[in-house]
Amino acid sequence: MANTWFAIEYVLTAPGRWVAWFNWALPWGPGYHDDELRDSRRFHWLMAGATYLGLHQSVQVVMERGGFELAAANFAIMFGVR
């Protein structure tokens, strides 16, 4: 059962692990070659949460401005669907 929870955590924190790796790898990042920050589960969760919150806010703004309806209309014109 513990392996299942670790697998779920691994999938959920994927964006946070990407951010942690880029912080570690890029010389202008604040965590350049900081191994503790790169391996920190708390930092992974924090960055994943920030990513999901930003994604949610972006989708909300696009929905308020009618972006999905505009995209659907453009696809309908592009493929000749009426």
Side-chain angles (χ1 to χ4, degrees), residues 20-77:
W21 185 85
F22 278 113
N23 266 335
W24 179 83
L26 298 175
W28 55 81
Y32 180 61
H33 284 285
D34 184 357
D35 294 337
E36 288 182 26
L37 184 65
R38 182 195 64 200
D39 298 333
S40 170
R41 289 177 70 194
R42 179 178 291 146
F43 187 68
H44 294 170
W45 277 105
L46 181 66
M47 291 297 107
T51 302
Y52 293 135
L53 181 63
L55 182 63
H56 173 72
Q57 294 294 330
S58 299
V59 168
Q60 191 174 16
V61 167
V62 168
M63 287 178 69
E64 287 174 358
R65 294 182 181 176
F68 292 122
E69 289 84 5
L70 180 62
N74 286 336
F75 278 119
I77 291 169

